[in-house]
Amino acid sequence: MSIENLYPKKSLGQNFLKDPHYLGKIVDAAQVGPRDQVIEIGPGLGHLTRALADTGCKLLILELDDRLIPRLHDEFASRPMIQVVHADALEYDYSGLSGTWKVVANLPYYISTAIIQKLVAQRGRFTTLTLMLQKEVAERIAADPGGKEYGFLSVLVQYAAVPRLEFSVPAGAFTPRPKVDSTVLTLTMRERPETVAIDEALFLRVIKAAFSQRRKTLRNSLGQLGYPGELMGAVKEGTGIDLGRRAETLSVPEFCRLANFFSSKHNKTTG
Ligand code: SAM
């Protein structure tokens, strides 16, 4: 049976993109050239892989579906610039990579937010991530404060990276056709966040709590962090941020200021 006849696994988010027009646009958006090291997550049948390889870049391709691995090996393993790895991109140890890398992927949508969280947490290793995503997810990541798309994912990602919405891709360009609209997004990793969160774990807890009840004021939603009323009462003076505001109105640096305030006061009270 030809690999092209293998049935696509819905459980692995297999919507293959063969249209050379869109493949070329993804490679252009990622600005891949011969000096780049590129990780492709989920090469599938290798269409995007071929377009990337044509630029002369070094490629590491991570594929989970064991049915596809022999075919990828047959086609690419003889090319010294391409390394085929049978791996779950969510489990892969990116810390072992040397140098900096670009990530380019038509992501399986069922893991897209988990993958993005994993990659942005290692921002020093990557320069750009150019990702095909479900349109709503791409828009949430790139959203500015003030609107209903702006949330936990926007703050988490924009802390580490500058997002750029590239172009949308119609469902008909994929096989099989997905039920959702798709958009390519590039994240350019920041060398340094605009405002550094001193305790990143606390920063994450603050944004998670703030957006867990996004219609409530920060005074209410941040209550679950368990800080004493006295400390909450000092936030305005310490940060300039009014806890009568709602989470969606705060910029990323304001969330950092809030987390840094809690972390400095917490350290003082706990010694
Ligand atoms: N790059 C190909 C293309 O554009 O036609 C395939 C894209 S398809 C949307 C997603 C690919 O990711 C599939 O090949 C799927 O098997 C693979 N995949 C799914 N889950 C994965 C995981 N956890 N780690 C690595 N690859 C995965």
Side-chain angles (χ1 to χ4, degrees), residues 34-252:
R35 285 201 242 160
D36 288 316
Q37 306 196 95
V38 177
I39 297 174
E40 187 196 358
I41 294 170
L45 301 173
H47 297 98
L48 181 56
T49 317
R50 272 168 230 127
L52 289 165
D54 284 349
T55 67
C57 68
K58 181 173 163 184
L59 260 175
L60 169 64
I61 60 178
L62 305 177
E63 175 57 59
L64 181 60
D65 187 347
D66 47 12
R67 302 173 308 163
L68 300 172
I69 295 299
R71 167 70 162 82
L72 291 167
H73 268 297
D74 284 353
E75 179 170 355
F76 297 117
S78 62
R79 297 170 73 163
M81 296 296 274
I82 306 181
Q83 190 187 352
V84 180
V85 177
H86 185 198
D88 181 339
L90 276 176
E91 303 292 329
Y92 187 76
D93 180 10
Y94 299 92
S95 66
L97 298 170
S98 66
T100 53
W101 293 73
K102 292 183 172 178
V103 176
V104 183
N106 172 13
L107 282 182
Y109 293 166
Y110 78 107
I111 53 162
S112 55
T113 53
I115 282 278
I116 290 169
Q117 288 191 37
K118 180 164 172 123
L119 297 176
V120 298
Q122 308 205 21
R123 57 182 175 277
R125 206 161 302 285
F126 306 112
T127 50
T128 58
L129 316 178
T130 300
L131 308 170
M132 176 86 72
L133 297 167
Q134 185 176 337
K135 178 171 172 260
E136 288 73 18
V137 174
E139 286 176 352
R140 267 196 278 140
I141 290 173
D144 290 327
K148 65 177 173 12
E149 283 92 12
Y150 183 72
F152 173 78
L153 198 56
S154 334
V155 177
L156 173 84
V157 173
Q158 291 178 30
Y159 174 72
V162 179
R164 188 175 62 241
L165 292 169
E166 302 282 7
F167 53 89
S168 52
V169 181
F174 299 88
T175 314
R177 208 185 155 95
K179 290 202 176 71
V180 296
D181 294 326
S182 301
T183 295
V184 173
L185 172 87
T186 293
L187 298 175
T188 302
M189 307 308 280
R190 298 179 191 275
E191 277 180 29
R192 200 178 148 78
E194 283 175 283
T195 303
V196 174
I198 294 158
D199 177 344
E200 289 194 7
L202 175 59
F203 170 66
L204 286 187
R205 285 207 299 282
V206 168
I207 53 178
K208 204 170 260 175
F211 285 107
S212 67
Q213 296 168 298
R214 56 181 301 141
R215 301 183 70 81
K216 295 195 171 172
T217 63
L218 290 167
R219 188 171 292 106
N220 282 318
S221 59
L222 296 181
Q224 60 188 279
L225 294 173
Y227 291 120
E230 199 187 327
L231 181 59
M232 298 297 273
V235 167
K236 179 77 197 287
E237 198 185 330
T239 65
I241 297 164
D242 182 348
L243 291 183
R245 289 166 64 185
R246 294 201 302 204
E248 69 196 38
T249 70
L250 261 65
S251 66
V252 178

